Amino acid sequence: MKYIKLLFLAVLFSACKGGQKTASMQTEGDTVAFKYATQISVVKYDGYTVATLKNPWKEGMTLHRYVLIPADQAIPNHIPNGTIIRTPLKQAVMFTTVHCAMLMEFDKQDCISGVADLKYIKIPWIQEQVAKGRITDVGDGMSPVIEKIIDERPDALFLSPFENSGGYGKLEDINIPIVECADYMESSPLARAEWLRFYGMLFGCEQQADSLFQAVDKHYHQLKQLASKAKTQPSVLMDKVTGSVWYVPGGKSTIGQMIKDANGRYPWADDEHSGSISLPFETVLERAGETDVWLFRYSSDHDITYDELLGEHHGYNQFSAFKHQTAYGCDVERSPFYEESPFHPERLLNDFIRIFHPEIEGLAPLRYYVKVSR
């Protein structure tokens, strides 16, 4: 009997170990390989997908974890902690114009049931649908009308997180998943564009999103290779005074990276910021007064002139690009800059290369920037 008991215990122990091994194998998933994006990771399991967003302001911390579960399947018994999202999303309230444009490119515009900050959404179709009552204007993005959002019964809310925002107030209390669109915190243009793949998973068009990103990636590198052959490398100044300060893109920002990829020299290329840097006018003049090209964004119903620029700030005429009339303006009111460039950096790169290296042939016409006239 003693030997029988020992044999029984050995078999039982072996069976228990085997059960643990099986359970361990069941918890293993397939990691989705991202080529450039560093702020997001995705692992696919049997019956669900886990997407984890890094906190871009606190290293080693998680901003949000999502558990994507097909809407036609039951919720598995054992899933990790996180916000459950039933996919594909059918209705969503969008707080940003760029993600509205993205859904239209996915041919998922009918999924937009509501928008915030309508005045900043320059997409004619969205404006028309709101006017017809087919899309609900939920008000200001910082203080939306909660009742309107609840009435829409969306599957998710899409908004951009900010450092030290203090949360999302009442939006967190209405039991609607909040998708934090932290794509803008990526440090390279292609890394941000690659978030298309994550958004495609949410709306049931993953293959389409993957194909779109592959096309963007390929075209971007073709343009970069073309620019690398240019014999000149002009220095570039970005944007202009806002209020009492001048916000210039940091050296690790997507714009800073694109200037480099377009074979241009950026005065703040060695800076470590991935966002904008606020500087006094005098500092910008001292460091970038002799730059060859000046690119800036503005908002108007007409093309800006040098006289208007001088009317905004009398010091602009001290810059070499002003004196030699090599300034280019991007009117964000009349061009799709904010709608397109985040997920189509190749289009903006084309503009940069065409401006920096006019001798290069085969480029598309300028899409966002226009040369400033007198």
Side-chain angles (χ1 to χ4, degrees):
M1 288 297 295
K2 180 179 178 180
Y3 293 110
I4 293 175
K5 286 181 180 179
L6 288 174
L7 181 61
F8 173 76
L9 289 173
V11 173
L12 180 62
F13 180 69
S14 176
C16 288
K17 286 188 69 177
Q20 290 175 354
K21 185 177 181 181
T22 302
S24 175
M25 289 176 64
Q26 288 176 343
T27 61
E28 293 179 359
D30 296 323
T31 300
V32 176
F34 281 89
K35 191 174 181 180
Y36 306 102
T38 61
Q39 299 299 309
I40 183 172
S41 61
V42 176
V43 181
K44 294 187 175 183
Y45 299 90
D46 184 19
Y48 64 95
T49 297
V50 176
T52 304
L53 312 188
K54 292 182 181 179
N55 189 321
W57 303 284
K58 295 181 180 178
E59 189 173 351
M61 301 292 286
T62 295
L63 177 69
H64 212 130
R65 179 176 291 112
Y66 300 98
V67 183
L68 283 52
I69 304 173
D72 59 355
Q73 296 182 21
I75 297 178
N77 292 326
H78 302 289
I79 58 174
N81 292 329
T83 299
I84 294 176
I85 297 181
R86 307 306 299 266
T87 59
L89 297 173
K90 298 296 185 183
Q91 299 220 56
V93 173
M94 315 301 289
F95 281 61
T96 63
T97 186
V98 60
H99 297 97
C100 286
M102 173 196 72
L103 286 186
M104 294 185 69
E105 188 152 19
F106 286 165
D107 198 25
K108 295 288 184 178
Q109 59 267 26
D110 290 340
C111 293
I112 305 173
S113 61
V115 293
D117 288 330
L118 180 62
K119 61 184 177 182
Y120 297 121
I121 299 177
K122 309 301 180 184
I123 304 172
W125 184 86
I126 297 287
Q127 295 284 343
E128 291 170 4
Q129 298 306 301
V130 171
K132 293 177 180 178
R134 295 174 183 170
I135 292 178
T136 299
D137 177 5
V138 301
D140 184 86
M142 300 301 292
S143 55
V145 182
I146 301 297
E147 292 76 16
K148 288 187 176 182
I149 294 177
I150 294 174
D151 288 344
E152 286 303 313
R153 301 176 66 184
D155 300 318
L157 312 175
F158 283 70
L159 43 79
S160 296
F162 295 95
E163 185 177 13
N164 301 321
S165 65
Y168 302 109
K170 294 181 179 179
L171 289 177
E172 296 179 336
D173 301 328
I174 58 178
N175 201 32
I176 298 173
I178 295 175
V179 178
E180 299 192 82
C181 303
D183 50 77
Y184 76 99
M185 288 303 296
E186 292 284 357
S187 59
S188 78
L190 289 174
R192 183 178 188 180
E194 195 169 17
W195 277 58
L196 285 168
R197 301 174 61 198
F198 168 57
Y199 297 129
M201 295 175 193
L202 295 177
F203 286 93
C205 50
E206 184 175 353
Q207 289 186 345
Q208 181 183 352
D210 286 352
S211 297
L212 175 59
F213 173 69
Q214 288 172 10
V216 169
D217 184 19
K218 180 180 179 181
H219 192 190
Y220 190 98
H221 278 93
Q222 288 174 339
L223 289 169
K224 181 180 176 181
Q225 179 65 21
L226 199 61
S228 68
K229 299 177 180 178
K231 296 180 180 180
T232 59
Q233 194 179 49
S235 52
V236 185
L237 171 64
M238 293 299 301
D239 293 322
K240 56 191 182 76
V241 173
T242 302
S244 60
V245 297
W246 193 316
Y247 292 98
V248 301
K252 298 299 182 183
S253 67
T254 57
I255 293 294
Q257 180 65 52
M258 291 181 74
I259 292 173
K260 180 181 178 181
D261 290 345
N263 204 0
R265 288 183 292 111
Y266 185 48
W268 286 272
D270 295 333
D271 176 81
E272 293 297 319
H273 291 86
S274 59
S276 295
I277 320 164
S278 59
L279 300 171
F281 178 89
E282 293 74 19
T283 300
V284 177
L285 178 61
E286 180 180 358
R287 193 162 186 174
E290 298 302 317
T291 49
D292 301 307
V293 179
W294 179 18
L295 305 180
F296 61 85
R297 290 164 288 185
Y298 68 100
S299 179
S300 179
D301 60 358
H302 64 276
D303 292 346
I304 198 168
T305 66
Y306 284 100
D307 291 338
E308 287 179 288
L309 283 171
L310 205 54
E312 290 182 10
H313 198 289
H314 61 85
Y316 284 150
N317 61 4
Q318 299 179 67
F319 286 88
S320 179
F322 186 99
K323 296 175 184 177
H324 296 104
Q325 297 188 19
T326 52
Y328 292 77
C330 169
D331 186 354
V332 298
E333 293 289 333
R334 296 180 296 146
S335 77
F337 178 88
Y338 287 123
E339 288 76 18
E340 291 183 355
S341 61
F343 294 133
H344 276 288
E346 82 284 8
R347 296 176 182 174
L348 181 56
L349 183 63
N350 182 91
D351 268 22
F352 282 6
I353 297 173
R354 192 170 183 87
I355 293 170
F356 301 170
H357 310 290
E359 74 281 3
I360 293 180
E361 298 180 350
L363 296 171
L366 290 178
R367 189 177 186 90
Y368 309 113
Y369 285 90
V370 175
K371 192 168 186 179
V372 177
S373 59
R374 278 290 178 187

